């Protein structure tokens, strides 16, 4: 797609554009200049999309990328005539999608025949050799991607349509959502291969790490997790808000050219499947070209499949097998297809990570927010190398929807790193002795009556001092992604709590080590480890503390957003819901919950004790500046700034701990006067205590703060 020379040039161009942007706004004088600048920005952004989403080898930081993107958007806003149909900004559509209309695929999207062992493969190879009359066939072996099938049409080198698989003949048109996936180029030079119209097939997927984060966020919002990345991908493709699709971190791998129309007199297209993959790669798609092997004979195919099964978990995405394809496209044509599958391809399915077991009973666990989770206890069953005996059922609705009963034989699945879940009960195996699952109406731990609000699927114990909740809150606080006090795992927290040694979260910092010494199993070594881990937790970055507090709906990502918006955690006490919602990705529900937390007396008291125990409560960007921060200083801007927007300058002040005022008064410390400053400047001049700065002076002040940060 981009040769090393082009890459070097585009890397340089990116740096140059960033330098230009740092100096001033991307002003373009004439129309010609605007078009040229927009062209450069588009080229650089497109190239960086490819580096990031196709090559997984980013060259720019997120902030740098955002700066280029914002500049292009601003430029296009003032010069709409320069907007190109495939400009990176044009991925983002306007409103919501009302319906996904049905579309006929140019060629039906067939399935694959499945094989599960060497015999199946050998038999298929025998038939293939027989039908072609060849002694040995050349095969391409590539992963079978476990995502959502899509088909894309490119006309005159532009993406014109994206569709789901549907029933194979007719799919749903999802072009606006497909355009959100930045691994899919909006334009691709098929014409350079002599192709006018092309229909290509592939799979939309979510990488395992992104999927895991996604489910963590759902858990923080008390939503049941999605079962696997495949469901997450196919669900994401059908979301009505394309902007939400863009946030899901989807990727796409394209592996099949199902239809193409030659341009007159230009039959340059590839003649092998490997050639197709290479072509797709060179056009800027993510294709299996690098994950594929061309081999001769079925024995090599078998070896390849076995080896791939070993490496399966090391891949960043889920694959559920390998696909073996006859490499020669003319031979493929000759072999043809059934109504169900092509005869020239065969899927080799890995051993299923599923098992069946008996559902013996259901336990009800109370979480840190009081939500009661049903957990199925099943006869231990090995699945994909792990023995599973306990499976979360999430909530009452899930149990009802699946119609699970005690005594059912259940199908259990455990995909990759994903937590195991019950797919369904085997209804045919019921003998009438199965019993309905009864949900408790009182808390199984403290006996308080449970409540269920109409907008939630969880039953909740609202007794905040319920032992289960207190213990779970402490367990969450010390967990790996929060304050990371590892030697204080769930067992110890429970034990210490029961002994009255650890009544609540702040209790961690006043543990009586003399008493712990007397406990069985706590030698000097393990106590020292615990002491060290607790000490270390005092210096954790602020977002870990915020996450560790277990505020409802606040997962790791939200905790980071909050931490970077404040100087000290105490600042959040002054933030109202409206101010919170102005933060990126914080909606009214989350804002409401954060606000409730930081206005609750018990919580504020807890924070006070944590602070006085030496737990870090400050955001990283100022922590090291000590007395040199703008903390406690007040600012007011007037007039026009030339190098930055007023809002940016105000953010800088807040980011350094300063406060903004609306009017000139004796409370004001600094007035920053831009061009054409008027009455406020005059008024400020009359108050001796107000320091008047111009833009350069302000930047210098901020710059000094920054130096302080690095200097420590
Ligand atoms: S080729 C005409 N190659 O698996 C044959 N399919 O179970 C087109 N799939 O419908 C399919 N990885 O959605 C092919 N490397 C791969 C694949 C693959 C995943 C999907 C595809 C297909 C389904 C059949």
């Amino acid at each position: 797609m981009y040769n090393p020379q082009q890459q070097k040039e585009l890397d340089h161009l990116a740096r140059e554009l960033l330098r230009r942007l740092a100096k001033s706004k991307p002003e373009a004088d004439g129309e010609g200049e605007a078009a040229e600048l927009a062209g450069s920005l588009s080229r650089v952004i497109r190239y960086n999309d490819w580096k990031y989403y196709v090559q997984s080898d980013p060259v720019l930081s997120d902030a740098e990328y955002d700066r280029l993107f914002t500049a292009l958007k601003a430029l296009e806003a003032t010069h709409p005539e320069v907007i190109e149909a495939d400009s990176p900004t044009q991925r983002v559509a306007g409103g919501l999608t009302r319906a996904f209309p049905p579309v006929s695929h140019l060629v039906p999207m067939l399935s694959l025949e499945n094989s599960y062992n060497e015999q199946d493969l050998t038999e298929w190879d025998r038939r293939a050799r027989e039908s072609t009359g060849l002694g040995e066939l050349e095969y391409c072996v590539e992963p079978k991607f476990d995502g959502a099938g899509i088909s894309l049409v490119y006309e005159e080198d532009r993406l014109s349509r994206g569709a789901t698989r549907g029933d194979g003949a007719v799919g749903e048109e999802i072009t606006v959502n497909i355009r959100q996936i930045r691994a899919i180029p909006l334009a691709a030079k098929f014409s350079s291969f002599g192709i006018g119209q092309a229909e290509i097939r592939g799979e939309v997927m979510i990488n395992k790490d992104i999927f895991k984060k996604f489910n963590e966020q759902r858990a923080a919002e008390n939503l049941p997790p999605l079962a696997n990345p495949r469901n997450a991908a196919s669900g994401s493709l059908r979301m009505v808000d394309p902007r939400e699709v863009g946030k899901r971190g989807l990727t796409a791998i394209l592996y099949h050219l199902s239809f193409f129309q030659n341009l007159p007199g230009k039959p340059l297209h590839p003649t092998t499947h490997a050639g197709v993959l290479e072509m797709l790669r060179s056009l800027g798609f993510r294709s299996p070209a690098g994950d594929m092997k061309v081999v001769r004979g079925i024995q090599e195919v078998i070896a390849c499949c076995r080896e791939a099964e070993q490496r399966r978990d090391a891949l960043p995405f889920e694959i559920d097998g390998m696909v073996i394809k006859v490499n020669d496209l003319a031979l493929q044509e000759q072999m043809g297809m059934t109504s169900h599958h092509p005869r020239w391809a065969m899927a080799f399915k890995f051993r299923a990570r599923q098992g069946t077991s008996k559902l013996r009973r259901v336990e009800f666990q109370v979480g840190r927010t009081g939500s009661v989770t049903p957990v199925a206890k099943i006869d231990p069953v090995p699945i994909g190398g792990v023995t599973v005996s306990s499976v979360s059922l999430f909530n009452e609705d899930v149990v009802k929807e699946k119609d699970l009963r005690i005594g059912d034989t259940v199908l259990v699945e455990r995909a990759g790193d994903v937590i195991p879940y019950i797919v369904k009960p085997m209804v045919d195996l019921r003998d009438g002795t199965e019993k309905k699952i009864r949900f408790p109406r009182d808390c199984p731990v403290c006996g308080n009556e449970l409540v269920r609000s109409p907008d939630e699927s969880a039953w909740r114990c609202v007794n905040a001092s319920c032992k289960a909740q207190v213990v779970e809150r402490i367990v969450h606080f010390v967990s790996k992604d929060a304050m990371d006090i590892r030697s204080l795992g769930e067992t110890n927290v429970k034990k210490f709590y029961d002994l009255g040694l650890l009544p609540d979260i702040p209790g961690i910092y006043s543990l009586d080590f003399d008493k712990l010494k007397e406990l069985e199993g706590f030698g000097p070594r393990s106590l020292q480890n615990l002491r060290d881990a607790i000490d270390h937790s005092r210096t954790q970055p602020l977002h870990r503390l915020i996450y560790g507090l277990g505020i409802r709906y606040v997962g790791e990502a939200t905790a980071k957003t909050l931490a970077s918006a404040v100087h000290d955690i105490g600042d959040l006490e002054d933030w109202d819901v409206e101010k919170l919602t102005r933060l990126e990705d914080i909606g009214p529900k989350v804002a409401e919950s954060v606000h409730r937390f930081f206005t609750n007396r018990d919580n504020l008291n807890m924070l006070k004790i944590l602070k006085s125990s030496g737990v870090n409560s400050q955001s990283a960007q100022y922590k090291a500046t000590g007395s040199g921060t703008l903390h406690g200083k007040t600012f007011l801007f007037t007039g026009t700034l030339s190098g930055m927007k007023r809002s940016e300058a105000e953010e800088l002040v807040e980011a350094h701990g300063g406060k903004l005022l609306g009017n000139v008064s004796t409370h004001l410390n600094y007035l920053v006067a831009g061009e054409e400053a008027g009455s406020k400047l005059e008024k400020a001049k009359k108050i001796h205590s107000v320091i008047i700065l111009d833009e350069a002076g302000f930047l210098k002040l901020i710059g000094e703060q920054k130096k302080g940060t690095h200097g420590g």
Side-chain angles (χ1 to χ4, degrees), residues 110 112 142-145 149 165 203 255-256 323 325 342 344:
L110 296 184
L112 290 170
E142 69 194 34
K144 184 169 187 313
F145 304 100
R165 179 174 189 278
E203 218 78 8
Y255 47 68
H256 187 56
V323 184
K325 297 173 182 171
W344 45 263

Side-chain angles (χ1 to χ4, degrees), residues 207-517:
N207 275 3
K208 288 188 264 192
D209 56 342
I210 296 180
F211 175 68
K212 210 167 146 208
K213 288 226 177 79
F214 174 72
N215 263 349
E216 278 163 10
Q217 191 58 40
R218 282 181 69 90
E221 293 177 24
N222 268 304
L223 296 165
L226 295 188
N228 51 46
R230 177 185 356 109
N231 291 4
S234 68
S236 301
L237 282 181
R238 283 190 194 74
M239 287 200 295
V240 291
D241 186 350
R243 278 163 310 187
E244 286 301 311
V245 182
K247 291 183 193 161
R248 286 285 175 98
L250 300 174
T251 186
I253 297 196
L254 281 302
Y255 47 68
H256 187 56
L257 176 64
S258 46
F259 175 81
F260 63 88
Q261 217 160 33
N262 278 334
L263 287 171
K266 280 192 169 175
L268 301 171
H269 46 82
T271 57
T272 60
H273 177 65
V276 168
L277 298 185
E278 199 43 60
M279 173 185 84
L280 290 172
R281 173 153 82 172
S282 77
L283 290 173
F285 295 93
R286 205 172 154 186
S287 91
D291 301 318
M292 159 284 281
K293 256 193 180 161
V294 178
V295 300
R296 295 194 69 85
I298 204 67
Q299 286 314 317
E300 281 188 43
V301 166
I302 291 168
C304 214
C305 291
R306 292 252 163 279
E307 196 204 336
E309 187 159 12
Q310 299 300 317
R311 282 184 296 117
R312 151 184 215 191
D313 286 332
L315 291 176
F317 43 75
E318 280 289 335
I319 66 174
D320 58 345
M322 299 299 278
V323 184
I324 303 109
K325 297 173 182 171
V326 169
N327 195 22
D328 188 322
L329 297 185
L331 267 185
Q332 287 189 3
E333 180 96 23
Q334 187 189 321
M335 292 172 76
M337 55 196 72
T338 72
S339 62
H340 172 261
H341 60 261
R343 291 201 187 84
W344 45 263
M346 175 63 96
F348 174 79
K349 299 274 276 194
F350 294 152
R351 257 165 297 156
R353 286 195 275 214
Q354 283 189 337
T356 53
S357 179
K358 263 238 159 28
L359 172 54
R360 294 298 175 190
R361 64 200 153 79
V362 174
E363 285 181 1
F364 294 89
Q365 290 178 357
V366 185
R368 63 172 201 272
T369 59
S371 64
V372 178
T373 306
V375 179
K377 297 291 169 179
I378 59 172
D379 288 342
V381 53
I383 304 174
V386 175
T387 303
V388 180
S389 59
S390 204
V391 186
S392 173
L393 299 173
F394 308 116
N395 59 44
E396 189 174 14
D397 292 349
V398 172
V399 174
K400 285 207 173 124
E401 196 188 313
K402 293 193 171 150
D403 184 26
L404 285 172
R405 301 179 198 174
I406 309 278
D408 264 337
T409 303
V410 288
L411 182 63
V412 186
E413 183 171 312
R414 191 190 68 89
D417 310 328
V418 180
I419 39 175
Y421 74 105
I422 292 188
V423 182
K424 59 172 186 188
M426 316 284 262
V427 179
D428 292 349
L429 297 181
R430 281 184 180 156
D431 62 11
T433 61
E434 296 76 17
K435 295 210 170 62
K436 272 188 81 168
I437 296 169
R438 288 198 173 283
F439 273 74
R441 290 295 166 253
D442 298 329
C443 174
V445 177
C446 72
N448 239 48
E449 196 181 336
L450 298 178
V451 294
R452 178 176 170 167
S453 60
D455 58 335
E456 266 196 343
S457 10
W459 285 91
R460 225 168 255 295
C461 167
V462 290
N463 169 16
S465 45
C466 167
K467 170 189 161 180
Q469 289 185 52
V470 179
V471 167
E472 287 307 320
R473 279 201 293 269
I474 304 176
V475 169
H476 175 73
F477 187 84
V478 301
S479 66
K480 189 166 129 277
D481 296 328
M483 299 297 265
D484 193 21
I485 310 180
R486 271 181 234 192
S487 29
L488 203 57
E490 176 143 15
T491 331
N492 283 340
V493 169
K494 275 200 182 121
K495 193 164 177 181
F496 296 175
Y497 179 91
D498 284 338
L499 293 168
L501 297 170
L502 180 56
D504 50 22
I505 289 175
I508 296 169
Y509 298 95
S510 52
L511 271 175
D512 187 341
F513 277 80
D514 285 335
K515 291 237 174 75
L516 296 186
K517 236 189 291 180

